[in-house]
PDB file of all heavy atoms in Angstrom:
ATOM      1  N   LYS A  11      -4.304  -6.958  -4.517  1.00 78.00           N
ATOM      2  CA  LYS A  11      -4.726  -5.550  -4.431  1.00 78.00           C
ATOM      3  C   LYS A  11      -4.419  -4.984  -3.050  1.00 78.00           C
ATOM      4  O   LYS A  11      -3.932  -3.865  -2.915  1.00 78.00           O
ATOM      5  CB  LYS A  11      -6.226  -5.417  -4.720  1.00 78.00           C
ATOM      6  CG  LYS A  11      -6.606  -5.601  -6.162  1.00 78.00           C
ATOM      7  CD  LYS A  11      -8.124  -5.491  -6.315  1.00 78.00           C
ATOM      8  CE  LYS A  11      -8.568  -5.920  -7.691  1.00 78.00           C
ATOM      9  NZ  LYS A  11     -10.026  -5.938  -7.817  1.00 78.00           N
ATOM     10  N   PRO A  40      -6.697 -25.037  17.439  1.00 95.00           N
ATOM     11  CA  PRO A  40      -6.112 -26.365  17.640  1.00 95.00           C
ATOM     12  C   PRO A  40      -6.714 -27.394  16.685  1.00 95.00           C
ATOM     13  O   PRO A  40      -7.922 -27.415  16.448  1.00 95.00           O
ATOM     14  CB  PRO A  40      -6.457 -26.697  19.097  1.00 95.00           C
ATOM     15  CG  PRO A  40      -7.620 -25.834  19.433  1.00 95.00           C
ATOM     16  CD  PRO A  40      -7.564 -24.629  18.544  1.00 95.00           C
ATOM     17  N   VAL A  49      -9.721 -27.381   7.567  1.00 91.00           N
ATOM     18  CA  VAL A  49      -8.595 -26.804   8.311  1.00 91.00           C
ATOM     19  C   VAL A  49      -7.388 -27.737   8.245  1.00 91.00           C
ATOM     20  O   VAL A  49      -6.263 -27.301   7.990  1.00 91.00           O
ATOM     21  CB  VAL A  49      -9.000 -26.530   9.776  1.00 91.00           C
ATOM     22  CG1 VAL A  49      -7.834 -26.010  10.586  1.00 91.00           C
ATOM     23  CG2 VAL A  49     -10.153 -25.543   9.825  1.00 91.00           C
ATOM     24  N   LEU A  51      -6.470 -30.080   6.081  1.00 93.00           N
ATOM     25  CA  LEU A  51      -5.798 -30.200   4.782  1.00 93.00           C
ATOM     26  C   LEU A  51      -4.925 -28.991   4.465  1.00 93.00           C
ATOM     27  O   LEU A  51      -3.828 -29.135   3.933  1.00 93.00           O
ATOM     28  CB  LEU A  51      -6.815 -30.448   3.665  1.00 93.00           C
ATOM     29  CG  LEU A  51      -7.491 -31.819   3.701  1.00 93.00           C
ATOM     30  CD1 LEU A  51      -8.547 -31.926   2.607  1.00 93.00           C
ATOM     31  CD2 LEU A  51      -6.469 -32.945   3.587  1.00 93.00           C
ATOM     32  N   ALA A  53      -3.513 -26.996   6.737  1.00 96.00           N
ATOM     33  CA  ALA A  53      -2.383 -27.088   7.659  1.00 96.00           C
ATOM     34  C   ALA A  53      -1.372 -28.117   7.156  1.00 96.00           C
ATOM     35  O   ALA A  53      -0.163 -27.863   7.134  1.00 96.00           O
ATOM     36  CB  ALA A  53      -2.871 -27.446   9.061  1.00 96.00           C
ATOM     37  N   ASN A  61       9.107 -23.724   2.957  1.00 94.00           N
ATOM     38  CA  ASN A  61      10.553 -23.913   3.047  1.00 94.00           C
ATOM     39  C   ASN A  61      11.263 -22.822   3.842  1.00 94.00           C
ATOM     40  O   ASN A  61      12.081 -23.102   4.704  1.00 94.00           O
ATOM     41  CB  ASN A  61      11.181 -23.980   1.648  1.00 94.00           C
ATOM     42  CG  ASN A  61      10.717 -25.183   0.882  1.00 94.00           C
ATOM     43  OD1 ASN A  61      10.765 -26.301   1.380  1.00 94.00           O
ATOM     44  ND2 ASN A  61      10.242 -24.975  -0.333  1.00 94.00           N
ATOM     45  N   PHE A  79      -1.170 -37.076  16.476  1.00 97.00           N
ATOM     46  CA  PHE A  79      -2.410 -36.781  17.198  1.00 97.00           C
ATOM     47  C   PHE A  79      -2.699 -37.861  18.245  1.00 97.00           C
ATOM     48  O   PHE A  79      -3.096 -37.556  19.376  1.00 97.00           O
ATOM     49  CB  PHE A  79      -3.602 -36.667  16.236  1.00 97.00           C
ATOM     50  CG  PHE A  79      -3.502 -35.538  15.246  1.00 97.00           C
ATOM     51  CD1 PHE A  79      -3.936 -35.713  13.935  1.00 97.00           C
ATOM     52  CD2 PHE A  79      -2.989 -34.298  15.596  1.00 97.00           C
ATOM     53  CE1 PHE A  79      -3.875 -34.678  13.012  1.00 97.00           C
ATOM     54  CE2 PHE A  79      -2.917 -33.252  14.681  1.00 97.00           C
ATOM     55  CZ  PHE A  79      -3.361 -33.449  13.381  1.00 97.00           C
ATOM     56  N   SER A  89      -4.050 -18.165  11.838  1.00 96.00           N
ATOM     57  CA  SER A  89      -4.755 -17.371  10.831  1.00 96.00           C
ATOM     58  C   SER A  89      -4.489 -15.901  11.103  1.00 96.00           C
ATOM     59  O   SER A  89      -4.377 -15.492  12.270  1.00 96.00           O
ATOM     60  CB  SER A  89      -6.256 -17.647  10.877  1.00 96.00           C
ATOM     61  OG  SER A  89      -6.500 -18.999  10.552  1.00 96.00           O
ATOM     62  N   LEU A 122       5.230  -8.848   9.586  1.00 92.00           N
ATOM     63  CA  LEU A 122       4.132  -8.323  10.393  1.00 92.00           C
ATOM     64  C   LEU A 122       4.287  -8.696  11.874  1.00 92.00           C
ATOM     65  O   LEU A 122       3.479  -8.297  12.694  1.00 92.00           O
ATOM     66  CB  LEU A 122       2.786  -8.849   9.875  1.00 92.00           C
ATOM     67  CG  LEU A 122       2.418  -8.502   8.433  1.00 92.00           C
ATOM     68  CD1 LEU A 122       1.068  -9.107   8.071  1.00 92.00           C
ATOM     69  CD2 LEU A 122       2.407  -7.005   8.229  1.00 92.00           C
ATOM     70  N   THR A 139      -1.281 -25.421  31.319  1.00 81.00           N
ATOM     71  CA  THR A 139      -1.286 -26.843  31.677  1.00 81.00           C
ATOM     72  C   THR A 139       0.103 -27.419  31.929  1.00 81.00           C
ATOM     73  O   THR A 139       0.223 -28.473  32.536  1.00 81.00           O
ATOM     74  CB  THR A 139      -1.943 -27.684  30.560  1.00 81.00           C
ATOM     75  OG1 THR A 139      -1.234 -27.470  29.340  1.00 81.00           O
ATOM     76  CG2 THR A 139      -3.406 -27.300  30.393  1.00 81.00           C
ATOM     77  N   ALA A 142       6.428 -27.278  33.194  1.00 82.00           N
ATOM     78  CA  ALA A 142       7.784 -27.704  32.876  1.00 82.00           C
ATOM     79  C   ALA A 142       8.415 -26.715  31.903  1.00 82.00           C
ATOM     80  O   ALA A 142       7.721 -25.887  31.312  1.00 82.00           O
ATOM     81  CB  ALA A 142       7.734 -29.090  32.242  1.00 82.00           C
ATOM     82  N   LEU A 147      12.245 -27.150  18.810  1.00 96.00           N
ATOM     83  CA  LEU A 147      13.248 -27.705  17.907  1.00 96.00           C
ATOM     84  C   LEU A 147      13.564 -26.734  16.780  1.00 96.00           C
ATOM     85  O   LEU A 147      12.688 -26.007  16.302  1.00 96.00           O
ATOM     86  CB  LEU A 147      12.758 -29.025  17.317  1.00 96.00           C
ATOM     87  CG  LEU A 147      12.437 -30.137  18.315  1.00 96.00           C
ATOM     88  CD1 LEU A 147      12.003 -31.396  17.577  1.00 96.00           C
ATOM     89  CD2 LEU A 147      13.624 -30.422  19.221  1.00 96.00           C
ATOM     90  N   ALA A 169      20.043 -24.823  24.309  1.00 93.00           N
ATOM     91  CA  ALA A 169      20.555 -25.808  25.262  1.00 93.00           C
ATOM     92  C   ALA A 169      20.781 -27.105  24.502  1.00 93.00           C
ATOM     93  O   ALA A 169      19.833 -27.851  24.238  1.00 93.00           O
ATOM     94  CB  ALA A 169      19.573 -26.016  26.409  1.00 93.00           C
ATOM     95  N   VAL A 179      10.155 -18.501  33.305  1.00 83.00           N
ATOM     96  CA  VAL A 179       9.693 -17.510  32.321  1.00 83.00           C
ATOM     97  C   VAL A 179       8.220 -17.799  32.061  1.00 83.00           C
ATOM     98  O   VAL A 179       7.868 -18.768  31.408  1.00 83.00           O
ATOM     99  CB  VAL A 179      10.520 -17.568  31.019  1.00 83.00           C
ATOM    100  CG1 VAL A 179      10.009 -16.553  30.015  1.00 83.00           C
ATOM    101  CG2 VAL A 179      11.995 -17.345  31.310  1.00 83.00           C
ATOM    102  N   ALA A 180       7.372 -16.923  32.571  1.00 83.00           N
ATOM    103  CA  ALA A 180       5.930 -17.179  32.517  1.00 83.00           C
ATOM    104  C   ALA A 180       5.321 -16.885  31.164  1.00 83.00           C
ATOM    105  O   ALA A 180       4.323 -17.474  30.777  1.00 83.00           O
ATOM    106  CB  ALA A 180       5.216 -16.354  33.589  1.00 83.00           C
TER     107      ALA A 180
END
Side-chain angles (χ1 to χ4, degrees):
K11 287 178 191 175
V49 177
L51 291 176
N61 295 310
F79 297 141
S89 297
L122 300 179
T139 58
L147 300 182
V179 179

